[in-house]
Amino acid sequence: MTVVIAVPGTEKHARDLATRLGATVVTPEIRQFPDGEVYVRIDADLANHEVVLVGSMHGGDKFLLIAFLAGTARDLGARRVGLVAPYLAYLRQDTRFKAGEGVTATYFARLMSSTVDWLVTVDPHLHRLDSLDHVYSIPTAIARAATSIATYITSEIEHPILVGPDAESVQWVAAVAAVCKAPYQILEKTRRGDRDVSISAPSGPWNGHTPVLIDDIVSTGKTMIEATRQLRAAGSAPPVCIAIHAVFADAVNDELVSAGAKGIVTCDTIPHVTNKICVADSIADAVRARLG
Amino acid sequence: MTVVIAVPGTEKHARDLATRLGATVVTPEIRQFPDGEVYVRIDADLANHEVVLVGSMHGGDKFLLIAFLAGTARDLGARRVGLVAPYLAYLRQDTRFKAGEGVTATYFARLMSSTVDWLVTVDPHLHRLDSLDHVYSIPTAIARAATSIATYITSEIEHPILVGPDAESVQWVAAVAAVCKAPYQILEKTRRGDRDVSISAPSGPWNGHTPVLIDDIVSTGKTMIEATRQLRAAGSAPPVCIAIHAVFADAVNDELVSAGAKGIVTCDTIPHVTNKICVADSIADAVRARLG
């Protein structure tokens, strides 16, 4: 038997996943003591069950809560405890760029690996690392959003041309293009700081197409905003922006529209008002493979 | 060589400790990415050095930061990495009171034990556990605030009578009484919830004395406030309240004064405006014993 446990904020994911797995959903009791410490209780029979925790790791601030739920599930007799983190934090700093820097990708993965038995995530932000296995010592599996994004584009956008705002985005853009059989173009980006980027767009291929800007993470939105400006300056129609992980504040949609975009649409890996693309099928496939 | 690394918010502790150990203080570079993830950098030569991280764990929200600093120090060649947590979180839930509850004391201690090589803390809130060794697998040492508190009482309060607001406080009160040779009295407390307590005080021994209420942790302040009310109702002079760990909001001092106390004075384990009692000597002794 499989039991899905929802970390607060990801109840919808937990229900979507449990439906697909034919599993039960359990909502844990979680409260804070007056001094900020967290109390957890799982009021369910977990003895010899496969337990699947569902919780996005946006910002990493849910780490202790997930570790406490995993520990509780184990104490209650769970056979294995896995984590579905639709968004996985701490993949950015995967090497030492400057003397003395902490390689937080390694430290975070080591802690997570000591906490759960396996991990499933959606399109993690891997660039220098070519696999989660370089930092995670537990079995991991990656669910891909490409098919869900391609389905959305095919049903909602006429004559799309997919656009990657920078070289790193080619992996997401090419995968979506392969499914929806649309042409694609990758722009060139120069980064001058956490919040400062410049992008150049060719004047070529926009005529008669709707550009669909695709990236894995939108955070400050600066890359998407600058790409939108350059596309419009190069004569394109208003682009539709698509992000897999909505790591951004609500204002970013307005800023994109001001820059000349139609707006932004996201996958539902982080709960956000712009979520339009459900990736539950892909997550359920990856979890089924894990549970064996 | 010993290097003391200050976690933000505990720079004073780090300096106090380094002075007593003849060690260098290093302030790490810590910043947040726009998405909330933390960046850490330690710009110092740590090769073959003993590294002492200093950081209070109030609420537990510094756990990832401490784990990242420990990982970085190790990568930079530190011989051992220890943690001085003047206040140690997650000792409250040390058993399962109700079916399904997580025993967070165990889970938190396991994570900390995988993160640093040794731990020093000041008067941890142990009640059912009689030693940190029941939950921590690394070497631990406890620094005691009793001598510093007794010194404060002897120099600042005439004719003190020490008062413990409940049975659990007897360990702190008796230790202080033994050093400053003052009489003491323990009150009786009944707890009806996280924020709801009743206390009864005898009318006996208050004449001509200043009651000194002593507890390890003051959080909502409800216990100290109720004890103050009952002491005053039993005819005592305005009590002085002393807490080891100031886990409370600023308003609690005003509430204590309204209830009839002179005010509250705390040890400096958690930075707070009421800190008057420095426990650095005791911490330094415990760290010296650890470093051997």
PDB file of all heavy atoms in Angstrom, chain A residues 9-10 13 56 246 267-275:
ATOM      1  N   GLY A   9       0.903  23.422   1.560  1.00  0.00           N
ATOM      2  CA  GLY A   9       1.178  24.199   0.353  1.00  0.00           C
ATOM      3  C   GLY A   9       1.203  23.335  -0.893  1.00  0.00           C
ATOM      4  O   GLY A   9       1.204  23.852  -2.005  1.00  0.00           O
ATOM      5  N   THR A  10       1.240  22.007  -0.720  1.00  0.00           N
ATOM      6  CA  THR A  10       1.278  21.147  -1.900  1.00  0.00           C
ATOM      7  C   THR A  10       0.160  20.097  -1.843  1.00  0.00           C
ATOM      8  O   THR A  10       0.304  19.000  -2.372  1.00  0.00           O
ATOM      9  CB  THR A  10       2.657  20.462  -2.059  1.00  0.00           C
ATOM     10  OG1 THR A  10       3.135  20.100  -0.779  1.00  0.00           O
ATOM     11  CG2 THR A  10       3.648  21.378  -2.723  1.00  0.00           C
ATOM     12  N   HIS A  13      -0.942  18.888  -5.428  1.00  0.00           N
ATOM     13  CA  HIS A  13      -0.027  17.875  -5.969  1.00  0.00           C
ATOM     14  C   HIS A  13      -0.267  16.516  -5.343  1.00  0.00           C
ATOM     15  O   HIS A  13      -0.219  15.493  -6.006  1.00  0.00           O
ATOM     16  CB  HIS A  13       1.430  18.226  -5.661  1.00  0.00           C
ATOM     17  CG  HIS A  13       1.977  19.270  -6.548  1.00  0.00           C
ATOM     18  ND1 HIS A  13       2.311  20.515  -6.096  1.00  0.00           N
ATOM     19  CD2 HIS A  13       2.245  19.257  -7.872  1.00  0.00           C
ATOM     20  CE1 HIS A  13       2.770  21.212  -7.107  1.00  0.00           C
ATOM     21  NE2 HIS A  13       2.744  20.488  -8.189  1.00  0.00           N
ATOM     22  N   SER A  56       7.258  20.921  -2.364  1.00  0.00           N
ATOM     23  CA  SER A  56       8.231  21.687  -3.148  1.00  0.00           C
ATOM     24  C   SER A  56       9.227  22.336  -2.206  1.00  0.00           C
ATOM     25  O   SER A  56       8.906  22.672  -1.075  1.00  0.00           O
ATOM     26  CB  SER A  56       7.528  22.739  -4.024  1.00  0.00           C
ATOM     27  OG  SER A  56       7.400  22.244  -5.335  1.00  0.00           O
ATOM     28  N   ALA A 246       7.730  28.425 -11.218  1.00  0.00           N
ATOM     29  CA  ALA A 246       7.328  29.813 -10.959  1.00  0.00           C
ATOM     30  C   ALA A 246       7.943  30.322  -9.661  1.00  0.00           C
ATOM     31  O   ALA A 246       7.266  30.530  -8.671  1.00  0.00           O
ATOM     32  CB  ALA A 246       5.801  29.901 -10.897  1.00  0.00           C
ATOM     33  N   CYS A 267       4.105  25.850 -15.318  1.00  0.00           N
ATOM     34  CA  CYS A 267       3.743  24.510 -14.854  1.00  0.00           C
ATOM     35  C   CYS A 267       3.448  24.606 -13.355  1.00  0.00           C
ATOM     36  O   CYS A 267       3.853  25.557 -12.681  1.00  0.00           O
ATOM     37  CB  CYS A 267       4.903  23.537 -15.103  1.00  0.00           C
ATOM     38  SG  CYS A 267       5.290  23.364 -16.862  1.00  0.00           S
ATOM     39  N   ASP A 268       2.763  23.589 -12.816  1.00  0.00           N
ATOM     40  CA  ASP A 268       2.292  23.682 -11.434  1.00  0.00           C
ATOM     41  C   ASP A 268       3.263  23.068 -10.430  1.00  0.00           C
ATOM     42  O   ASP A 268       2.853  22.486  -9.434  1.00  0.00           O
ATOM     43  CB  ASP A 268       0.897  23.062 -11.318  1.00  0.00           C
ATOM     44  CG  ASP A 268       0.889  21.587 -11.733  1.00  0.00           C
ATOM     45  OD1 ASP A 268       1.928  21.097 -12.232  1.00  0.00           O
ATOM     46  OD2 ASP A 268      -0.149  20.930 -11.558  1.00  0.00           O
ATOM     47  N   THR A 269       4.579  23.247 -10.647  1.00  0.00           N
ATOM     48  CA  THR A 269       5.549  22.676  -9.708  1.00  0.00           C
ATOM     49  C   THR A 269       5.654  23.501  -8.430  1.00  0.00           C
ATOM     50  O   THR A 269       6.002  22.969  -7.374  1.00  0.00           O
ATOM     51  CB  THR A 269       6.944  22.580 -10.349  1.00  0.00           C
ATOM     52  OG1 THR A 269       7.357  23.898 -10.733  1.00  0.00           O
ATOM     53  CG2 THR A 269       6.917  21.669 -11.565  1.00  0.00           C
ATOM     54  N   ILE A 270       5.396  24.815  -8.534  1.00  0.00           N
ATOM     55  CA  ILE A 270       5.323  25.699  -7.358  1.00  0.00           C
ATOM     56  C   ILE A 270       3.967  26.387  -7.454  1.00  0.00           C
ATOM     57  O   ILE A 270       3.668  26.996  -8.482  1.00  0.00           O
ATOM     58  CB  ILE A 270       6.450  26.756  -7.375  1.00  0.00           C
ATOM     59  CG1 ILE A 270       7.824  26.084  -7.279  1.00  0.00           C
ATOM     60  CG2 ILE A 270       6.268  27.783  -6.262  1.00  0.00           C
ATOM     61  CD1 ILE A 270       8.990  27.039  -7.461  1.00  0.00           C
ATOM     62  N   PRO A 271       3.123  26.273  -6.400  1.00  0.00           N
ATOM     63  CA  PRO A 271       1.792  26.873  -6.500  1.00  0.00           C
ATOM     64  C   PRO A 271       1.888  28.375  -6.824  1.00  0.00           C
ATOM     65  O   PRO A 271       2.618  29.109  -6.158  1.00  0.00           O
ATOM     66  CB  PRO A 271       1.199  26.645  -5.099  1.00  0.00           C
ATOM     67  CG  PRO A 271       1.974  25.485  -4.537  1.00  0.00           C
ATOM     68  CD  PRO A 271       3.351  25.615  -5.102  1.00  0.00           C
ATOM     69  N   HIS A 272       1.195  28.809  -7.868  1.00  0.00           N
ATOM     70  CA  HIS A 272       1.255  30.205  -8.307  1.00  0.00           C
ATOM     71  C   HIS A 272       0.034  30.482  -9.167  1.00  0.00           C
ATOM     72  O   HIS A 272      -0.459  29.591  -9.854  1.00  0.00           O
ATOM     73  CB  HIS A 272       2.554  30.436  -9.106  1.00  0.00           C
ATOM     74  CG  HIS A 272       2.873  31.887  -9.307  1.00  0.00           C
ATOM     75  ND1 HIS A 272       2.378  32.616 -10.358  1.00  0.00           N
ATOM     76  CD2 HIS A 272       3.615  32.741  -8.569  1.00  0.00           C
ATOM     77  CE1 HIS A 272       2.823  33.868 -10.261  1.00  0.00           C
ATOM     78  NE2 HIS A 272       3.577  33.959  -9.184  1.00  0.00           N
ATOM     79  N   VAL A 273      -0.421  31.740  -9.155  1.00  0.00           N
ATOM     80  CA  VAL A 273      -1.625  32.129  -9.890  1.00  0.00           C
ATOM     81  C   VAL A 273      -1.472  31.893 -11.402  1.00  0.00           C
ATOM     82  O   VAL A 273      -2.462  31.742 -12.109  1.00  0.00           O
ATOM     83  CB  VAL A 273      -1.985  33.603  -9.551  1.00  0.00           C
ATOM     84  CG1 VAL A 273      -0.905  34.551 -10.050  1.00  0.00           C
ATOM     85  CG2 VAL A 273      -3.341  33.988 -10.088  1.00  0.00           C
ATOM     86  N   THR A 274      -0.245  31.816 -11.914  1.00  0.00           N
ATOM     87  CA  THR A 274      -0.014  31.605 -13.346  1.00  0.00           C
ATOM     88  C   THR A 274       0.044  30.129 -13.738  1.00  0.00           C
ATOM     89  O   THR A 274       0.236  29.817 -14.913  1.00  0.00           O
ATOM     90  CB  THR A 274       1.321  32.264 -13.774  1.00  0.00           C
ATOM     91  OG1 THR A 274       2.370  31.681 -12.985  1.00  0.00           O
ATOM     92  CG2 THR A 274       1.295  33.765 -13.560  1.00  0.00           C
ATOM     93  N   ASN A 275      -0.116  29.205 -12.784  1.00  0.00           N
ATOM     94  CA  ASN A 275      -0.078  27.764 -13.102  1.00  0.00           C
ATOM     95  C   ASN A 275      -1.188  27.411 -14.089  1.00  0.00           C
ATOM     96  O   ASN A 275      -2.360  27.589 -13.797  1.00  0.00           O
ATOM     97  CB  ASN A 275      -0.291  26.905 -11.836  1.00  0.00           C
ATOM     98  CG  ASN A 275       0.861  26.909 -10.841  1.00  0.00           C
ATOM     99  OD1 ASN A 275       0.706  26.435  -9.717  1.00  0.00           O
ATOM    100  ND2 ASN A 275       2.005  27.446 -11.214  1.00  0.00           N
TER     101      ASN A 275
END
